[in-house]
Amino acid sequence: MLVEGVRFRLWAPNIPSVSLKILDLEFEHPMTQCRGGWHEIEVPHALAGMHYVFVLPDGQTVPDPASRFQPHDVHGPSEIIDPRSYRWTDLGWRGRPWEEMIIYELHIGTFTPEGTFLAAIDKLKALQELGITAIELMPVADFPGRWNWGYDGAFLYAPDSSYGRPEHIKALVDAAHGLGLCVFLDAVYNHFGPEGNYLQSYAPIVNPDRHTPWGGAINYDDAGAAQVREFIFANARHWLMEYHFDGLRLDAVQEIQDIGPRHMLVELAEQLRRVTDGRHIHLIVENSDNEAGWLKRGLDGEPWLYNAQWNDDLHHSLHNALTEENAWYYADFDKKLDLVGRSLAEGFGFQGEYLEHEKRFKGEPSAFLPATAFVAYAQNHDQIGNRPYGERITDIVSSEKARFWTAINLLSPQIPLLFMGEEWHAKQPFIFFSDVGAELADKVREGRRDEIKSFLPQPEKGHPPDPLSEDTFKTSKLDWSQREELSHREALAHYRQLIALRRSEIIPRLYEMDGNSGRYELDGSILTVAWQLGDGMRLYLLANFSDQALSCGAVGGDVLWIEGHFNETVIGPWTAVFSLAQ
């Protein structure tokens, strides 16, 4: 932005000319062609709030790919936004150390009845009182339609208009910081959504020879890749600097295809750690390939590139142990309780072994990493929403088993993540939903059928919900009034107690925790895990993964928490005992 007026730029190397059209001024003028495929024009009388489009040689009008706001969805004009107009109140906010993170994943559209950034602000106090220290927003980049999980983003710089305006999401981040909460954003840098991405009509944004499960792969290493990479890097900087986010969670990085001399994930992390203003910035990856190298620590113990990875191996092995489900995600984890121990003690369960159902070798050794290099969860948007009916874990297992898993999740040294409503055992499902329009509706339905085909049919529940139905979206909205019912109040109290214990006894001991600090032993259905913590103390978990009470030895040190039933010689079914010792 200039002091007066606006400079407009478009990278369009595949076409000879571009014009700018400002609708409010009835202004249309050719842009100057510059080196490197850029087109540029300065308009002194353009103002914030005006709407504009670019006009291609064939007369087609397209929005700005770096639009800060799309008030009329992905096919409408872009709105000029003054990024300096919001008055921040979080001066001095430096974030929180990674070890303090207790993350709460939420979807803006279903987190509240209103489904907006501003409505979410009203719930932040409840999360602070629960003991949460960070919220993680599922993707908010502008997507086609009125509802979407967010992974179909077409305009990476623009918060979706169904959630509110740019100043509204800034207000949410600002309010969270005022309560001591960090805010992370889920960012999708492996593909663009199937509708609304006009970039590919005038720039080499997609590599035509490579594909992801969701469409063409973004071009990170072919002709024109230098500018594509900068478009993505600038987007990450945009969210951290202009919107004051405290970190990013990068979706499915195994589908970021880059065989160039410097992988974009290296350059991205290095840029973000250089440009931020001394705040704590945290970077998380989702990576089904279990590549430990992205999580390495430097000589000072700080992350070299990425803080942590979502630990699917821990989730999948625990889910199989508690539910006995052995299809879909869980096929290679069936009856392998040792993977629970290995995932708790060392991070990855699979560290190079062959997976029979996936038909591939998976993973790298990870024991050298500290436990805080992994994010643990009993459920997240994928593990719930990719089920045919969107059931939560409390709909699948007994209350006893759910409490058992909750205790393991919140008291183990890995960084815990909760999914919205989990803390009060919300009854609402979280179902896959999309509103991409009639043209793509059948493809979305077909993709959904492929996703859930591994599940056994459940005729008593009827057909799985239609992902394109508005009812599916509305059914997934949290009902906050449930929190006041007795069983939900008891669940909420359970989470509060565990989180309070984590904050008082576990978190202070995570600083300077080294790698190679976890060990486990498995004796039938009894699992023992020990971690050497950063202050020299040793944390023990003794857990019974069976329906019977079993004989056991004494625990080491002082008991912190008993989830279930335990005395010095007998441990009850689905019981977890945590203790601390010198």
Side-chain angles (χ1 to χ4, degrees):
M1 284 237 176
L2 305 176
V3 176
E4 292 183 359
V6 179
R7 176 185 293 121
F8 298 86
R9 303 181 78 218
L10 181 70
W11 185 60
N14 293 352
I15 56 176
S17 63
V18 182
S19 294
L20 172 72
K21 185 176 183 179
I22 301 178
L23 282 62
D24 307 74
L25 298 176
E26 297 184 357
F27 170 96
E28 184 171 342
H29 197 280
M31 301 175 73
T32 301
Q33 189 171 13
C34 305
R35 296 178 60 183
W38 284 95
H39 304 259
E40 181 176 307
I41 188 173
E42 296 178 7
V43 184
H45 44 294
L47 299 171
M50 291 182 176
H51 298 155
Y52 66 100
V53 293
F54 297 116
V55 184
L56 306 186
D58 62 1
Q60 181 185 18
T61 60
V62 298
D64 185 348
S67 167
R68 282 185 167 92
F69 191 50
Q70 290 293 116
H72 304 294
D73 211 1
V74 297
H75 300 299
S78 303
E79 181 177 325
I80 300 172
I81 298 293
D82 181 355
R84 304 162 300 184
S85 62
Y86 183 80
R87 297 293 179 253
W88 289 90
T89 64
D90 66 351
L91 184 65
W93 169 257
R94 296 184 58 80
R96 305 181 72 130
W98 176 244
E99 291 80 3
E100 294 183 6
M101 294 301 102
I102 302 170
I103 305 171
Y104 190 94
E105 186 190 22
L106 63 92
H107 178 272
I108 287 293
T110 55
F111 182 53
T112 64
E114 301 86 351
T116 65
F117 297 124
L118 293 181
I121 293 174
D122 296 334
K123 305 301 183 186
L124 294 179
K125 187 65 176 175
L127 300 185
Q128 182 204 41
E129 292 172 351
L130 174 63
I132 296 298
T133 57
I135 61 174
E136 181 178 303
L137 308 185
M138 289 177 65
V140 302
D142 200 284
F143 50 76
R146 296 160 291 174
W147 53 82
N148 195 289
W149 271 20
Y151 298 92
D152 292 327
F155 290 85
L156 301 188
Y157 289 75
D160 194 84
S161 58
S162 67
Y163 300 155
R165 294 183 55 83
E167 58 267 29
H168 297 161
I169 187 172
K170 290 178 180 178
L172 171 60
V173 175
D174 208 6
H177 289 170
L179 293 172
L181 300 173
C182 296
V183 189
F184 303 149
L185 180 65
D186 197 337
V188 183
Y189 294 147
N190 49 46
H191 76 290
F192 283 95
E195 182 181 347
N197 174 29
Y198 292 93
L199 254 171
Q200 52 199 343
S201 64
Y202 53 80
I205 192 70
V206 171
N207 187 325
D209 298 323
R210 298 199 188 136
H211 301 277
T212 74
W214 317 283
I218 294 179
N219 172 24
Y220 287 114
D221 57 6
D222 203 357
Q227 193 54 57
V228 175
R229 292 165 72 96
E230 180 52 30
F231 180 78
I232 298 298
F233 298 157
N235 179 255
R237 299 194 303 267
H238 166 82
W239 291 115
L240 296 186
M241 303 303 288
E242 188 168 315
Y243 284 85
H244 293 200
F245 276 94
D246 299 282
L248 301 175
R249 179 262 190 191
L250 303 188
D251 177 66
V253 299
Q254 76 277 357
E255 297 296 341
I256 294 177
Q257 301 177 35
D258 182 359
I259 58 172
R262 238 173 113 65
H263 198 288
M264 68 82 64
L265 286 174
V266 174
E267 193 171 352
L268 175 63
E270 290 179 347
Q271 277 200 27
L272 297 182
R273 298 202 181 280
R274 278 199 309 266
V275 302
T276 45
D277 48 5
R279 293 180 292 140
H280 290 285
I281 294 297
H282 306 305
L283 304 175
I284 308 164
V285 293
E286 178 194 29
N287 185 354
S288 66
D289 288 345
N290 283 4
E291 296 169 307
W294 302 119
L295 310 176
K296 287 180 180 178
R297 270 43 184 169
L299 295 177
D300 59 357
E302 293 300 308
W304 171 48
L305 296 171
Y306 294 89
N307 293 74
Q309 173 179 319
W310 276 23
N311 196 347
D312 275 351
D313 281 10
L314 177 56
H315 173 273
H316 297 351
S317 55
L318 276 166
H319 186 99
N320 172 262
L322 272 68
T323 68
E324 298 185 359
E325 290 185 351
N326 58 6
W328 192 44
Y329 292 146
Y330 315 118
D332 284 301
F333 294 83
D334 191 31
K335 296 180 174 61
K336 296 177 181 176
L337 192 56
D338 59 307
L339 290 179
V340 176
R342 195 180 196 190
S343 298
L344 283 168
E346 301 180 10
F348 297 144
F350 289 106
Q351 301 181 24
E353 294 81 6
Y354 185 75
L355 277 65
E356 186 62 39
H357 289 83
E358 290 192 25
K359 305 298 182 187
R360 66 176 180 126
F361 292 94
K362 176 181 176 179
E364 298 174 350
S366 59
F368 71 95
L369 294 166
T372 51
F374 303 92
V375 175
Y377 36 83
Q379 46 199 331
N380 59 37
H381 72 271
D382 271 333
Q383 316 309 334
I384 304 172
N386 284 332
R387 301 179 66 86
Y389 304 93
E391 309 100 319
R392 294 168 177 265
I393 191 64
T394 44
D395 298 317
I396 305 169
V397 303
S398 66
S399 174
E400 174 188 48
K401 288 183 177 180
R403 289 172 65 98
F404 172 81
W405 196 347
T406 299
I408 292 175
N409 190 40
L410 288 173
L411 296 182
S412 298
Q414 297 185 21
I415 301 298
L417 176 143
L418 282 59
F419 186 71
M420 61 179 194
E422 173 185 336
E423 71 275 22
W424 76 79
H425 291 181
K427 294 297 184 184
Q428 288 72 45
F430 187 74
I431 311 167
F432 179 76
F433 47 79
S434 176
D435 183 36
V436 294
E439 186 175 336
L440 293 171
D442 288 342
K443 288 185 177 180
V444 171
R445 291 188 178 102
E446 181 181 352
R448 179 63 173 165
R449 284 194 294 269
D450 287 343
E451 179 71 36
I452 65 178
K453 65 184 179 183
S454 297
F455 281 91
L456 294 175
Q458 296 177 269
E460 71 279 5
K461 292 187 177 182
H463 291 293
D466 180 0
L468 278 299
S469 168
E470 185 172 5
D471 287 340
T472 300
F473 169 58
K474 290 182 175 179
T475 298
S476 300
K477 285 180 176 281
L478 284 182
D479 180 0
W480 283 78
S481 67
Q482 282 185 350
R483 294 171 85 242
E484 305 308 316
E485 299 172 12
L486 178 60
S487 63
H488 297 293
R489 290 205 309 268
E490 291 173 346
L492 187 59
H494 184 236
Y495 272 83
R496 283 177 173 158
Q497 288 177 307
L498 285 167
I499 290 173
L501 183 61
R502 179 180 186 84
R503 293 184 66 164
S504 64
E505 298 295 338
I506 306 298
I507 288 176
R509 297 183 164 94
L510 297 181
Y511 301 99
E512 300 182 6
M513 188 175 180
D514 293 327
N516 297 304
S517 296
R519 300 287 186 274
Y520 75 96
E521 293 181 2
L522 185 62
D523 181 7
S525 297
I526 295 182
L527 174 67
T528 304
V529 188
W531 298 271
Q532 188 76 29
L533 303 179
D535 66 346
M537 296 289 283
R538 190 175 290 269
L539 176 68
Y540 290 95
L541 165 64
L542 176 68
N544 179 1
F545 283 81
S546 77
D547 294 321
Q548 290 83 37
L550 299 172
S551 298
C552 66
V555 300
D558 299 323
V559 172
L560 281 179
W561 185 270
I562 299 174
E563 189 59 60
H565 304 282
F566 172 75
N567 62 42
E568 291 191 358
T569 58
V570 177
I571 183 169
W574 302 106
T575 291
V577 183
F578 280 89
S579 59
L580 268 176
Q582 291 288 344

